[in-house]
Amino acid sequence: MRNDSGERQQYALHVIYSFFLGAIVFAFVSVGLNTIYPEPVYRETPEIRELEREIRFVLDTEDAEGQLPAEARTRIEEIQEEINWLYDEQNVGLFAWSRNTSILLVLLATFVMGVSLVQSERLKVLSNGLLLGGLFTMVYGVGWIVLSYQQSATRLAVIGLALVVTLIFGYLKFVRSR
């Protein structure tokens, strides 16, 4: 009876360790990639600051009842369109970064999952932890490509790659090993 309890405890520790290793691998890959390839930082440009100052100036033309003249409302709308256009221009770099990050994450996940297959029969706990880390990273990479709603052909390619890689490694790990 004691032996069965000890085996269950050992199995539970293996599961916990594998999950923890997977989480640490995921964190290491994610933080490492963000350190090497950081997200673009956007600042308010001088053009945007000047346009916002102009909006404040136009808002000062309210009459005693707090109403803006029609030409002031029109000018504010024009200025806001210019500001939106400037922000959209900045977002182009963010979309490219998001796409590239997702591709890199899927490639790194593929590498980690591939490493998990090396000596997987002899090092089951480590192999399972690496496989989980690769899967977590794969999910994160697919999440980034889904969030970068531009580049629909790229989105499909990255998600397709993630699907193929997951199927291949799942087959190699769980079907072929039997």
Side-chain angles (χ1 to χ4, degrees), residues 17-26 29 105-106 108-118 120-121 123-140 162 164-175 177:
Y17 180 79
S18 293
F19 186 81
F20 182 73
L21 178 60
I24 292 296
V25 167
F26 164 68
V29 170
L105 284 167
V106 168
L108 289 168
T110 302
F111 174 75
V112 171
M113 291 168 76
V115 169
S116 79
L117 293 179
V118 176
S120 66
E121 288 305 311
L123 304 170
K124 286 185 181 186
V125 176
L126 293 176
S127 175
N128 290 342
L130 289 173
L131 183 63
L132 278 172
L135 288 174
F136 295 157
T137 305
M138 185 75 71
V139 168
Y140 187 54
V164 168
V165 165
T166 303
L167 288 172
I168 288 171
F169 284 120
Y171 173 81
L172 293 173
K173 177 78 174 172
F174 302 112
V175 177
S177 65

Side-chain angles (χ1 to χ4, degrees), residues 4-162:
D4 187 39
S5 175
E7 287 177 18
R8 279 189 291 200
Q9 184 179 18
Q10 187 69 18
Y11 177 76
L13 287 173
H14 285 190
V15 170
I16 292 168
Y17 180 79
S18 293
F19 186 81
F20 182 73
L21 178 60
I24 292 296
V25 167
F26 164 68
F28 178 77
V29 170
S30 302
V31 170
L33 181 60
N34 197 30
T35 300
I36 294 168
Y37 187 53
E39 183 175 355
V41 177
Y42 297 109
R43 294 178 181 85
E44 194 175 78
T45 64
E47 295 89 1
I48 292 173
R49 277 195 298 277
E50 184 58 41
L51 290 169
E52 288 174 346
R53 262 182 264 171
E54 188 175 344
I55 285 178
R56 286 191 296 275
F57 178 75
V58 172
L59 287 173
D60 286 341
T61 62
E62 291 178 344
D63 61 18
E65 297 169 3
Q67 299 294 319
L68 283 173
E71 62 268 359
R73 285 192 302 269
T74 302
R75 181 62 189 143
I76 288 174
E77 289 172 8
E78 291 170 355
I79 294 169
Q80 193 58 54
E81 284 179 25
E82 285 183 62
I83 290 172
N84 291 343
W85 183 82
L86 289 169
Y87 278 123
D88 287 344
E89 286 296 306
Q90 287 185 355
N91 284 336
V92 169
L94 182 62
F95 293 140
W97 176 85
S98 183
R99 180 197 62 229
N100 296 342
T101 296
S102 69
I103 291 169
L104 289 169
L105 284 167
V106 168
L107 292 174
L108 289 168
T110 302
F111 174 75
V112 171
M113 291 168 76
V115 169
S116 79
L117 293 179
V118 176
Q119 300 289 324
S120 66
E121 288 305 311
R122 289 182 50 206
L123 304 170
K124 286 185 181 186
V125 176
L126 293 176
S127 175
N128 290 342
L130 289 173
L131 183 63
L132 278 172
L135 288 174
F136 295 157
T137 305
M138 185 75 71
V139 168
Y140 187 54
V142 168
W144 268 114
I145 199 64
V146 168
L147 292 176
S148 68
Y149 52 91
Q150 297 201 342
Q151 308 280 338
S152 63
T154 305
R155 281 175 57 168
L156 181 62
V158 170
I159 292 171
L161 174 65

